Amino acid sequence: MSSPSNAAVIAALRQLVAYTQLEDGQSQSFRTRAYQKAIDAVSVRSDPVAELPLGELVAIEGIGDSTARKIIEFAERGSISKVERLKAKYPASMLDLMRIPGLGPKTVLALQDHLGVTDVAGLREAIEEEKLRTLPGLGAKSEKKIAESIELLGIHSDESRTPIFDAMGIAHRLIADLEASDLVERIEYAGSLRRLEETIGDIDLLVVSDAPVEVIDRFTGLPGVTSVLGSGTTKASVVIDDQIQVDLRVVDSDAFGAAWLYFTGSRSHNIELRQRAIGRGWTLNEYALSNVDTDETIASRSEEDIYRSLGLPLITPEVREGAGEVGAAEAGRLPRPVDIGDIRGDLHVHTTWSGDGRSSMDDMLDALTASGMEYVALTDHAEDLVMNGLSRDQVLEERAEIVEQRASRPELTILHGAELNIGPEGGVDYDPEFLATFDFGVASIHSHFDLPQARQTDRLLAAVANPAVNVIGHPSGRKIGRRPGVVFDADAVFEAAAENGTAIEINCHLQRLDLAAPLIRRAMDVDGLLFAISTDAHHTSELANLRWGVSQARKGWVSAERVLNCLTLAEFQAVVGRKRAV
DNA sequence: GCCGTTTTCGGCCCGACTGTTTTCAGTCG
């Protein structure tokens, strides 16, 4: 029997957390926080922790003897005995009750103890009969509020996290609407969106304004607001499009750095920073880093000031996961994150030569030049992609257009590439002689997503070794929230890619962000492996997606030295040439 | 439950909001 995936281990630990919250009667007991920390630790690992022996599990920061044994128990028996015991004590439906906003473990336990209510149906009944207000600490107002919260249950369920592509679109729409008002001095998003998590629970917006009440008014009245959860003089929460909660806070410009740091999180990263502050006799909250005794502010204006005061370099938001980044930063082991200004070329760009391309070659090249690119690989689809790919004749016609474009664009080096299709056995389009006439090749999986792992690995290994292939495009083929990626032996593919001089793409599209960040970190451990941060743009407007790919690379702790398209033109051409000469 | 330039025992992040409990408990982020 194969061992459970990290996702399965995390799901089991989440159950452990939920039941332990009930058992302990508090959501933040030291025990549940310890389990939660273990979840955080597992979630940033790409190797299956269920295969590790006790000694190696305990060596992971945040996992101690007790949790390690529970993971092993889960790997061996498929369940955790503590969870089984608690399941017998508390019906699973009580966990549903805890998801209702406003209902925590204390209240859910009181429902069971005093009213015998253990599920949502029973709770509705108790509200109808006005029994909730008889519980200690609850009154008529709480009863009404809980009744309203039940209707929001869908929005707060675990399954309701929104893919980042959709959430980012909503956030930018709201930001544009608020900026149009002239009330807003500055507006930024924070939270998991800023950390570039793949799915978003709610959107956090931070505003600097002299007129907070007017900003809140405008916010709660924006188009798309389907429900106002609460609103005061400095903060408000709404639901947008019946889909996602958005929290907005108005803060002082003097405290903006502290607020942005605080609301960006992650929770565990913040806790590490606060512990660090305490060690220096200071305290850190959303207003400032300040001296506990004198109340004097040490830093608050910018995140950089606060990190510096804590003896740390600015830690880029994408890595603030509480996954060892604070320690690494202190030890100088956190690589200088790749910056959008480091990118010199785009190595995966489509034009209208592709059936699904929407901008002409001329427009694409104009836009690339305007954005300061020094080189580009035009990679229209190849013939095996029947609907959108180019026949050999079309390839030659496109090449003629490229030759013309080169003559009028000395500032931009244009490579004629192709996005090849990796077949089920690892073969690609055209034939070796014709392939050799291209300057560059990206090879991607566009079909056969459901082959078993060994065959996926084999087809990727074949593509990696192909001399016409310089980059493996969107390696897993996933679409976040829509389609899982193919499963392959990542170590084998990364090792082979490093040996063959084949780069691994970090696809910039927010629906892809492929490789996933944990796999990027794993690939960073393979010496000599290079990444390509590429937009895969099908329209000039998508060239701006570059920032998301850079952000994703940062999340994987990538520095510019490891990025093929951060190399100077001469270095880049040397790497590409070496591969194609094989 | 985890962890150690405070500690193998005794600590463990911080504040706002809400409702109801006249001084605080529960929930949330």
Side-chain angles (χ1 to χ4, degrees):
Chain A
M1 195 186 83
S2 70
S3 59
S5 66
N6 285 355
V9 171
I10 288 168
L13 291 175
R14 287 222 172 103
Q15 272 206 325
L16 179 64
V17 168
Y19 279 111
T20 306
Q21 285 174 332
L22 264 182
E23 171 84 345
D24 290 353
Q26 43 182 322
S27 55
Q28 289 289 306
S29 72
F30 297 119
R31 214 191 325 255
T32 55
R33 274 163 53 182
Y35 294 148
Q36 188 62 54
K37 211 170 173 191
I39 289 174
D40 293 343
V42 173
S43 66
V44 297
R45 291 186 73 93
S46 53
D47 58 325
V49 294
E51 289 175 10
L52 298 177
L54 182 65
E56 286 183 44
L57 275 173
V58 173
I60 298 172
E61 196 177 336
I63 298 180
D65 188 68
S66 170
T67 308
R69 288 178 193 279
K70 289 181 173 66
I71 291 173
I72 289 170
E73 191 188 2
F74 178 68
E76 288 173 350
R77 296 183 37 243
S79 64
I80 298 170
S81 52
K82 177 174 177 179
V83 172
E84 296 306 309
R85 178 173 64 77
L86 293 176
K87 270 185 180 169
K89 196 167 167 188
Y90 307 109
S93 55
M94 288 176 79
L95 301 189
D96 298 335
L97 290 178
M98 276 213 296
R99 289 208 195 95
I100 297 173
L103 283 194
K106 284 261 166 49
T107 315
V108 170
L109 282 177
L111 284 170
Q112 185 189 32
D113 284 352
H114 292 84
L115 301 175
V117 167
T118 56
D119 58 23
V120 177
L123 178 62
R124 281 186 206 269
E125 214 169 295
I127 292 171
E128 290 273 306
E129 296 166 5
E130 302 192 341
K131 280 185 179 164
L132 228 56
R133 59 184 69 181
T134 66
L135 291 183
L138 294 186
K141 270 196 172 175
S142 304
E143 195 174 70
K144 182 161 177 282
K145 206 165 180 185
I146 289 167
E148 288 166 0
S149 291
I150 292 174
E151 308 314 319
L152 291 169
L153 189 55
I155 287 168
H156 290 272
S157 72
D158 281 356
E159 300 76 38
S160 79
R161 290 181 68 87
T162 303
I164 187 168
F165 175 78
D166 302 310
M168 192 68 83
I170 291 170
H172 278 89
R173 190 179 93 203
L174 297 174
I175 288 171
D177 285 349
L178 288 167
E179 277 180 333
S181 71
D182 287 341
L183 296 166
V184 169
E185 188 180 315
R186 181 175 184 187
I187 179 164
E188 304 280 359
Y189 58 83
S192 51
L193 204 55
R194 186 165 177 237
R195 299 199 312 275
L196 208 80
E197 297 288 317
E198 294 173 4
T199 62
I200 306 300
D202 53 29
I203 296 171
D204 295 294
L205 298 178
L206 221 52
V207 170
V208 176
S209 170
D210 293 335
V213 176
E214 288 83 350
V215 170
I216 301 280
D217 266 2
R218 181 164 175 107
F219 174 62
T220 54
L222 284 178
V225 171
T226 46
S227 136
V228 178
L229 302 174
S231 92
T233 55
T234 62
K235 62 182 258 186
S237 296
V238 304
V239 176
I240 295 288
D241 300 342
D242 280 325
Q243 183 189 0
I244 187 166
Q245 179 173 334
V246 184
D247 299 334
L248 176 138
R249 291 161 207 265
V250 186
V251 302
D252 281 347
S253 59
D254 281 348
F256 191 83
W260 209 14
L261 181 62
Y262 181 86
F263 291 113
T264 297
S266 67
R267 175 187 287 257
S268 46
H269 180 84
N270 285 352
I271 289 173
E272 277 194 62
L273 292 186
R274 287 191 210 121
Q275 283 168 334
R276 213 176 155 81
I278 290 169
R280 293 163 188 234
W282 301 335
T283 180
L284 177 62
N285 59 28
E286 62 260 55
Y287 301 109
L289 175 67
S290 51
N291 188 304
V292 174
D293 300 324
T294 64
D295 212 30
E296 171 198 12
T297 294
I298 293 153
S300 67
R301 279 197 84 84
S302 76
E303 289 184 329
E304 195 167 10
D305 288 346
I306 294 169
Y307 280 110
R308 192 189 310 119
S309 301
L310 292 171
L312 297 167
L314 177 70
I315 297 178
T316 189
E318 298 89 345
V319 304
R320 296 179 195 167
E321 293 175 319
E325 71 279 3
V326 175
E330 177 167 38
R333 282 188 290 104
L334 199 59
R336 189 188 78 77
V338 57
D339 186 82
I340 194 155
D342 296 326
I343 305 285
R344 296 169 184 263
D346 198 333
L347 305 181
H348 188 165
V349 174
H350 295 270
T351 72
T352 43
W353 282 100
S354 293
D356 55 357
R358 304 189 312 282
S359 292
S360 68
M361 186 189 295
D362 206 44
D363 289 347
M364 274 293 185
L365 296 177
D366 280 349
L368 285 157
T369 304
S371 66
M373 290 297 149
E374 297 170 35
Y375 48 86
V376 58
L378 296 178
T379 54
D380 281 302
H381 287 296
E383 65 181 357
D384 291 352
L385 199 65
V386 177
M387 291 296 290
N388 297 320
L390 277 67
S391 68
R392 290 168 197 237
D393 287 346
Q394 288 171 314
V395 167
L396 297 176
E397 284 178 54
E398 180 180 33
R399 189 164 299 158
E401 185 181 350
I402 289 176
V403 169
E404 280 177 34
Q405 290 285 359
R406 281 177 184 148
S408 60
R409 297 177 185 273
E411 72 288 350
L412 184 68
T413 297
I414 308 167
L415 278 66
H416 188 197
E419 183 179 14
L420 305 167
N421 304 288
I422 304 176
E425 309 302 331
V428 299
D429 316 57
Y430 310 123
D431 59 70
E433 290 72 30
F434 192 72
L435 282 171
T437 68
F438 286 94
D439 306 317
F440 194 78
V442 176
S444 315
I445 288 178
H446 290 124
S447 64
H448 301 86
F449 294 103
D450 51 1
L451 298 175
Q453 172 167 352
R455 285 192 63 192
Q456 299 288 13
T457 304
D458 286 346
R459 71 196 283 217
L460 283 166
L461 288 175
V464 160
N466 190 322
V469 174
N470 296 100
V471 177
I472 300 297
H474 45 73
S476 84
R478 72 168 177 175
K479 292 258 179 98
I480 296 169
R482 295 189 187 173
R483 178 174 76 201
V486 302
V487 181
F488 57 94
D489 180 342
D491 290 329
V493 171
F494 296 156
E495 297 280 352
E499 277 170 30
N500 283 277
T502 310
I504 299 292
E505 183 174 276
I506 297 173
N507 190 286
C508 296
H509 200 289
L510 283 176
Q511 284 179 325
R512 293 195 184 268
L513 297 178
D514 187 8
L515 283 180
L519 283 178
I520 297 176
R521 277 192 71 178
R522 189 142 154 208
M524 278 295 289
D525 288 338
V526 178
D527 280 342
L529 182 67
L530 291 179
F531 299 94
I533 302 175
S534 303
T535 63
D536 195 1
H538 287 64
H539 185 267
T540 52
S541 64
E542 292 174 353
L543 293 171
N545 287 341
L546 188 62
R547 59 183 294 199
W548 308 130
V550 170
S551 203
Q552 176 76 351
R554 289 174 172 233
K555 199 169 185 65
W557 296 33
V558 175
S559 55
E561 307 87 76
R562 298 289 297 270
V563 179
L564 176 61
N565 46 326
C566 290
L567 300 181
T568 65
L569 177 60
E571 293 168 338
F572 165 71
Q573 284 175 321
V575 171
V576 171
R578 266 201 300 280
K579 172 70 193 277
R580 300 189 76 80
V582 171

